C-alpha cells in the first residue's frame, strides 16, 4: 500500500521561505506532485515531477519561486517555497500517480495535508 505523509508546514511572513517534505512508502510511483487547497477554493495543481526527475512542471503562479525535488533513495518528495505570498496560504497535499499527469483526478494516492500560512 502506498502511504504519503507531509510535513514542514507552518506560519511564515510574506517574503519568507518554507520547505515541505513528503515521506512515501509502499510503491515508487511514476509521478509525484504537490497540490494545494485554500479555504473556499478547489484543490489546485502546484508542481509535479517524474520518477527520474527529467519531467518537471509548475503552476504559473509559483514558477520561479517554488522548486520541487525528489530523492528516490530516501523516498522523499520536497517542495522548496521561496518569496512566499499571502495568496500561497493553503493546505498543501502530496500526491502520487502511476503515469505522467498534471490532472488532479489522475492522482490516486494522497497525503493528509500540511497547513501553510503566510502572513502579510
Amino acid at each position: 500500500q502506498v502511504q504519503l505523509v507531509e510535513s514542514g508546514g507552518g506560519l511564515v511572513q510574506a517574503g519568507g521561505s518554507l520547505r515541505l517534505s513528503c515521506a512515501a512508502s509502499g510503491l515508487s510511483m511514476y509521478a509525484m506532485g504537490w497540490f494545494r487547497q485554500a479555504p473556499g477554493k478547489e484543490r489546485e495543481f502546484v508542481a509535479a515531477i517524474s520518477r527520474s526527475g527529467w519531467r518537471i512542471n509548475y503552476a504559473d503562479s509559483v514558477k520561479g519561486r517554488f522548486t520541487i525535488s525528489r530523492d528516490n533513495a530516501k523516498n522523499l518528495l520536497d517542495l522548496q517555497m521561496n518569496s512566499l505570498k499571502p495568496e500561497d496560504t493553503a493546505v498543501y497535499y502530496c500526491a502520487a500517480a502511476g503515469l505522467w499527469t498534471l490532472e488532479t483526478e489522475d492522482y490516486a494516492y494522497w497525503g493528509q495535508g500540511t497547513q501553510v500560512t503566510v502572513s502579510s
Side-chain angles (χ1 to χ4, degrees):
Q1 295 277 43
V2 175
Q3 187 169 34
L4 307 174
V5 181
E6 304 96 333
S7 63
L11 174 64
V12 297
Q13 289 187 306
S17 299
L18 205 61
R19 188 178 184 89
L20 305 182
S21 293
C22 172
S25 62
L27 272 61
S28 179
M29 305 298 288
Y30 186 77
M32 296 195 72
W34 288 97
F35 295 78
R36 66 187 183 186
Q37 187 167 22
K41 300 185 67 176
E42 294 187 359
R43 191 167 300 182
E44 65 176 352
F45 168 78
V46 175
I49 185 170
S50 64
R51 182 176 292 143
S52 65
W54 82 272
R55 283 178 168 175
I56 296 176
N57 267 276
Y58 297 97
D60 289 339
S61 60
V62 306
K63 285 182 179 178
R65 299 189 298 118
F66 291 10
T67 302
I68 188 171
S69 61
R70 183 173 181 172
D71 187 336
N72 294 328
K74 296 182 178 180
N75 296 314
L76 292 175
L77 176 72
D78 291 343
L79 183 68
Q80 178 64 47
M81 305 184 292
N82 298 325
S83 301
L84 284 164
K85 305 174 181 180
E87 47 264 49
D88 293 318
T89 295
V91 175
Y92 283 70
Y93 297 90
C94 172
L99 74 165
W100 177 247
T101 178
L102 306 182
E103 301 296 329
T104 303
E105 296 181 353
D106 290 332
Y107 283 80
Y109 303 96
W110 296 84
Q112 83 289 346
T114 185
Q115 177 70 48
V116 172
T117 302
V118 184
S119 62
S120 301

